[in-house]
Amino acid sequence: MPASRVHRRTPSRKAAWRALSAAALAGILALTACGSDSPGASWNDGKKDGGQQADSGPKQGGTITSPAADAKDVPASTTIAFTLENASDPSIELKSASGETVEGELQEDGKSWLPEGALEYATTYTATINATGADGKPTTSTSTFTTMAKPSKVVRVSSFLGDGQVVGVGMPLIVRFGRAVPKDYRDDVQARLFVRSTPHQEGIWHWASPTEVRFRPKEYWQAGTQIRYKLQTGGLPMGDGYYGRADVNVDVKIGPSLIMTVDNKTKKMTVTKDGKVVKTIPVSLGKKSTPSSSGTMVVIEKQRKTIFDTMDDPNPENRYRTPIDFAQRLTWSGQFIHAAPWSEGQQGRVNVSHGCVNVSMAMGEWLFGQTRIGDVITVKNTEEKLQNGNGWTDWNMSWEQYVKGSAIPYNG
């Protein structure tokens, strides 16, 4: 059986209006009866129980977003990240609880500020962001955080070069880590390796291994370049609960542009200095059984006197123990430029070495006095190609190959 419908009579519009008007009138009479001290009627927007509410307009200013307010155990390597809303011209002040000011600078992203070095461990800091609002008035906001206790697991970070060294135009900046840096952390580490050159030259970091990263410019360093690089790794997370032990700062200078070019076809080395040919030197390269490598290398180390000892070589023909003068290492496998008085009769005509670039005693001494660590040598037209990694082979790679070794995408 279908449910029955109940019909209700709806009051007419006029009757409803009369009832509403009567209720309103009663309310007015009631308010009047309260006396003249009663507050006047006002709009209520939900923000206050009553009273006049002024419109303050849109929010203006900056907000510290990281570290979070009252955060604990913050890494000593932290940056100060912030956002701006209807504001411009941000500046950051960072002070310890004792009132000591920390120096630093805004980063290129315009959204963060980096202290000039690692913060103190187990210390409370207050970050203040000052900005100019859209109305031209100054704004200020603060946030307080506390750094972590000093970690027990640290990674040593070191530079191959030391302060004040003068090196060749092909010298890569080499940074080594006392422990392998996990792949997922390399971009964060690389982002804390800063290079400033005067004059400015475009360059990039390249991970040669999990424990070594190198920097080279797109072209050879310009002669006389001043380089300052900072490894801001103190307190920086490096995976598996390890942190960078300390920051490292290095200042070096690039010397004259000295380039050596060896051509197996002519058996000669051409030496140019600052773009001018200063010497042509007869050479003897590796014989067919032990060829010299073709490729671009740099001088890794120099020894006025040394001994070449290959007595552990499995091939009896390659075993020897010989005193050497004016040795300049080019590869880890043992190829050098060096004086070889025993082959002076063959230099410029025949290859008789075990892979080295043989020059006369006089030319070995002269060349030794001209070169620096990082000077460039290119060997051409031999039977064997240089293998990348066999020495500082950063210039044996094209720029396109080199940037692939960066942990941060290249946007040049």
Side-chain angles (χ1 to χ4, degrees):
M1 179 176 178
S4 60
R5 296 182 180 178
V6 178
H7 294 273
R8 291 188 175 92
R9 185 177 179 179
T10 303
S12 67
R13 292 183 179 179
K14 288 185 178 179
W17 176 248
R18 290 192 197 102
L20 179 61
S21 298
L25 178 59
I28 292 171
L29 292 174
L31 286 172
T32 304
C34 292
S36 60
D37 291 336
S38 299
S42 63
W43 295 107
N44 189 329
D45 62 1
K47 296 180 179 178
K48 295 179 67 177
D49 291 337
Q52 190 69 26
Q53 179 70 27
D55 185 0
S56 61
K59 181 180 178 181
Q60 301 184 85
T63 301
I64 304 294
T65 58
S66 179
D70 301 319
K72 309 294 183 184
D73 296 325
V74 175
S77 62
T78 189
T79 59
I80 308 299
F82 59 86
T83 59
L84 293 176
E85 189 171 351
N86 299 309
S88 59
D89 302 324
S91 65
I92 300 291
E93 295 178 356
L94 185 63
K95 291 186 177 182
S96 66
S98 63
E100 184 178 355
T101 299
V102 178
E103 299 297 326
E105 61 181 18
L106 288 171
Q107 299 301 285
E108 293 181 0
D109 62 9
K111 301 176 182 178
S112 60
W113 182 91
L114 182 65
E116 66 175 6
L119 301 180
E120 297 294 330
Y121 291 109
T123 302
T124 298
Y125 291 89
T126 297
T128 301
I129 179 169
N130 300 300
T132 302
D135 59 4
K137 295 180 180 179
T139 68
T140 299
S141 178
T142 63
S143 181
T144 299
F145 62 92
T146 303
T147 55
M148 65 184 290
K150 187 175 182 179
S152 59
K153 298 163 67 175
V154 294
V155 179
R156 183 185 181 195
V157 182
S158 57
S159 164
F160 178 81
L161 297 176
D163 269 342
Q165 282 191 254
V166 181
V167 293
V169 296
M171 184 69 208
L173 309 180
I174 303 174
V175 176
R176 291 174 180 158
F177 303 93
R179 180 181 183 273
V181 179
K183 194 170 185 179
D184 289 347
Y185 284 81
R186 292 177 198 170
D187 56 345
D188 292 335
V189 172
Q190 187 175 321
R192 291 302 185 89
L193 309 180
F194 303 100
V195 179
R196 293 181 178 176
S197 61
T198 305
H200 172 74
Q201 286 147 84
E202 179 182 1
I204 198 167
W205 291 96
H206 173 100
W207 288 82
S209 76
T211 59
E212 184 170 305
V213 64
R214 302 177 189 162
F215 182 97
R216 56 154 270 202
K218 190 172 184 178
E219 307 292 341
Y220 294 144
W221 294 108
Q222 296 178 34
T225 296
Q226 298 281 351
I227 302 171
R228 168 168 290 185
Y229 57 105
K230 175 188 285 189
L231 317 177
Q232 198 162 339
T233 51
L236 184 67
M238 291 191 178
D240 303 323
Y242 282 84
Y243 295 82
R245 188 174 73 175
D247 296 337
V248 180
N249 295 278
V250 183
D251 289 279
V252 296
K253 182 179 179 180
I254 302 299
S257 175
L258 191 138
I259 307 292
M260 297 166 280
T261 304
V262 176
D263 191 340
N264 187 38
K265 289 183 178 180
T266 62
K267 307 291 189 294
K268 287 183 173 59
M269 173 192 289
T270 301
V271 183
T272 62
K273 191 170 186 178
D274 294 329
K276 297 181 179 180
V277 175
V278 293
K279 191 79 70 174
T280 300
I281 304 173
V283 300
S284 180
L285 301 176
K287 55 191 176 183
K288 287 188 178 181
S289 61
T290 55
S292 301
S293 296
S294 283
T296 299
M297 298 156 273
V298 298
V299 176
I300 297 172
E301 65 176 343
K302 298 175 64 176
Q303 295 176 292
R304 171 61 184 82
K305 287 183 177 292
T306 189
I307 294 177
F308 287 180
D309 190 339
T310 64
M311 297 304 291
D312 58 351
D313 194 294
N315 186 346
E317 294 183 2
N318 295 331
R319 295 175 188 168
Y320 57 89
R321 193 172 189 277
T322 307
I324 298 292
D325 291 299
F326 308 114
Q328 304 189 56
R329 179 184 285 275
L330 306 178
T331 70
W332 303 127
S333 62
Q335 296 183 35
F336 288 74
I337 307 168
H338 65 83
W342 57 86
S343 70
E344 289 187 12
Q346 287 99 353
Q347 292 167 17
R349 299 188 302 108
V350 181
N351 291 335
V352 296
S353 83
H354 291 86
C356 293
V357 179
N358 284 183
V359 298
S360 68
M361 184 67 78
M363 287 299 95
E365 182 177 9
W366 177 85
L367 197 59
F368 195 88
Q370 298 292 313
T371 60
R372 291 180 169 83
I373 301 299
D375 278 335
V376 179
I377 177 170
T378 297
V379 177
K380 302 188 296 184
N381 299 315
T382 66
E383 299 88 343
E384 185 173 270
K385 289 186 177 180
L386 176 67
Q387 296 298 307
N388 287 329
N390 187 13
W392 296 339
T393 53
D394 303 74
W395 296 101
N396 200 52
M397 289 180 268
S398 68
W399 178 246
E400 290 71 24
Q401 289 175 307
Y402 202 76
V403 299
K404 290 179 180 178
S406 171
I408 298 175
Y410 174 66
N411 297 317

